[in-house]
């Protein structure tokens, strides 16, 4: 909503200063669909997988899409009560409809829609390859230090876990705990702070703070 419209109110916990993926990467990876536009069904399916949506034709829930002939139904990861039905005619988007995922009833027709990624930690395949190289380089440096100080058990555990994560990232584009690798995914330097929810706001936003005796020191600590 922050990237699409102006009339947005967000009630946030202290997690608003925790690291998120880059808003630029998030915006670049969205899937844009427009009625009457030339866009093949196969290309849309590939894009959905790329932005971390999973296909499940039986269990339809958030972050999932299903395919029925020339119709793709998408349950956006950021919605709770509305899903999107995209109807194709050949290689053209014939109709876009918002519908109730519980009843299947169409709510309204739409001229266009932007489907945002299923996770904030999403990036292009090129960036993914660079991130994997960076993670491997950092891993080898850490292992060298651990071996040098005799921490052999810790080194073995770290190597096994990281190698498993790298295999998942290369194959699926994500892994459990992918936020631990956000520096490499965003291309940040060591020590450079991550993007947070605050980076998704426009320049002219209004902040109201409750429980400031707790909140202000935490924000100040994160800033420092």
């Amino acid at each position: 909503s922050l990237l699409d419209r102006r009339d947005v109110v967000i009630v946030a916990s202290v997690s608003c200063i925790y690291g998120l993926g880059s808003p630029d990467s998030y915006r670049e990876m969205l899937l844009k669909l427009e009625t009457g536009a030339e866009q093949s069904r196969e290309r849309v399916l590939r894009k959905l997988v790329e932005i971390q949506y999973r296909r499940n034709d039986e269990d339809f829930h958030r972050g999932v899409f299903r395919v029925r002939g020339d119709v793709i139904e998408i349950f956006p990861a950021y919605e709770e009560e509305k899903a999107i039905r995209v109807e194709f005619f050949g290689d053209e988007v014939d109709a876009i409809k918002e519908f109730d995922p519980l009843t299947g009833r169409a709510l309204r027709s739409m001229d266009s829609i932007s489907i945002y990624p299923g996770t904030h930690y999403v990036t292009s395949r090129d960036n993914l390859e660079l991130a994997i190289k960076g993670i491997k380089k950092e891993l080898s440096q850490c292992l060298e230090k651990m071996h040098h100080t005799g921490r052999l058990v810790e080194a073995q555990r770290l190597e096994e876990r990281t190698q498993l994560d790298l295999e998942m990232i290369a194959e699926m584009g994500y892994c459990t705990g992918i936020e631990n690798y956000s520096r490499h995914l965003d291309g940040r330097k060591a020590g450079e702070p991550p993007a947070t929810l605050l980076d998704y706001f426009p320049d002219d936003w209004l902040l109201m703070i409750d429980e400031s005796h707790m909140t202000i020191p935490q924000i100040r600590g994160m800033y420092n």
Side-chain angles (χ1 to χ4, degrees):
S1 296
L2 276 174
L3 300 180
D4 269 349
R5 47 196 297 174
R6 298 281 297 167
D7 54 344
V8 180
V9 176
I10 292 184
V11 180
S13 69
V14 71
S15 63
C16 68
I17 59 172
Y18 293 174
L20 277 181
S22 159
D24 293 330
S25 298
Y26 188 68
R27 189 183 289 109
E28 286 169 8
M29 293 296 287
L30 63 84
L31 168 63
K32 290 183 178 178
L33 297 167
E34 193 173 333
T35 304
E38 266 196 43
Q39 203 160 16
S40 73
R41 172 179 164 278
E42 285 68 29
R43 185 181 171 191
V44 171
L45 292 175
R46 282 198 302 271
K47 182 68 175 180
L48 284 169
V49 172
E50 187 182 350
I51 62 175
Q52 304 304 330
Y53 280 80
R54 291 178 292 110
R55 179 171 178 173
N56 191 326
D57 293 342
E58 304 300 326
D59 183 16
F60 193 51
H61 55 271
R62 293 167 67 178
V64 159
F65 68 92
R66 62 188 179 193
V67 184
R68 297 176 173 178
D70 287 335
V71 177
I72 301 175
E73 293 182 341
I74 308 161
F75 203 143
Y78 44 88
E79 291 285 0
E80 291 185 0
E81 299 174 349
K82 294 178 290 186
I84 303 298
R85 181 178 293 135
V86 186
E87 300 173 5
F88 289 86
F89 184 75
D91 283 342
E92 184 179 298
V93 177
D94 191 43
I96 303 171
K97 295 173 184 173
E98 194 175 72
F99 73 97
D100 184 333
L102 191 62
T103 64
R105 182 173 62 88
L107 302 174
R108 62 175 176 136
S109 295
M110 309 172 76
D111 294 326
S112 62
I113 184 75
S114 293
I115 305 292
Y116 283 91
T119 171
H120 286 91
Y121 297 99
V122 65
T123 188
S124 66
R125 176 51 62 173
D126 290 342
N127 284 348
L128 217 53
E129 299 291 345
L130 289 173
I132 289 171
K133 288 180 182 177
I135 294 166
K136 285 180 177 178
K137 183 178 179 181
E138 186 181 358
L139 174 63
S140 65
Q141 291 169 347
C142 288
L143 292 176
E144 188 177 337
K145 288 179 184 175
M146 286 180 165
H147 285 133
H148 186 68
T149 54
R151 296 163 63 196
L152 303 181
V153 176
E154 292 96 327
Q156 183 183 4
R157 286 177 180 167
L158 178 67
E159 185 172 17
E160 287 176 357
R161 171 62 193 267
T162 309
Q163 292 294 357
L164 182 63
D165 287 346
L166 285 171
E167 287 175 19
M168 282 290 292
I169 291 172
E171 189 70 27
M172 308 293 293
Y174 69 93
C175 69
T176 303
I178 195 167
E179 61 273 9
N180 295 320
Y181 305 111
S182 67
R183 177 170 77 82
H184 297 287
L185 293 168
D186 292 344
R188 301 194 316 272
K189 296 176 182 176
E192 196 174 339
T196 68
L197 175 65
L198 305 185
D199 293 288
Y200 284 75
F201 286 95
D203 292 333
D204 57 346
W205 61 287
L206 173 67
L207 173 66
M208 302 175 72
I209 299 179
D210 188 21
E211 295 188 341
S212 59
H213 64 291
M214 291 296 292
T215 307
I216 295 296
Q218 289 183 358
I219 293 178
R220 187 180 293 121
M222 181 63 80
Y223 174 80
N224 288 328

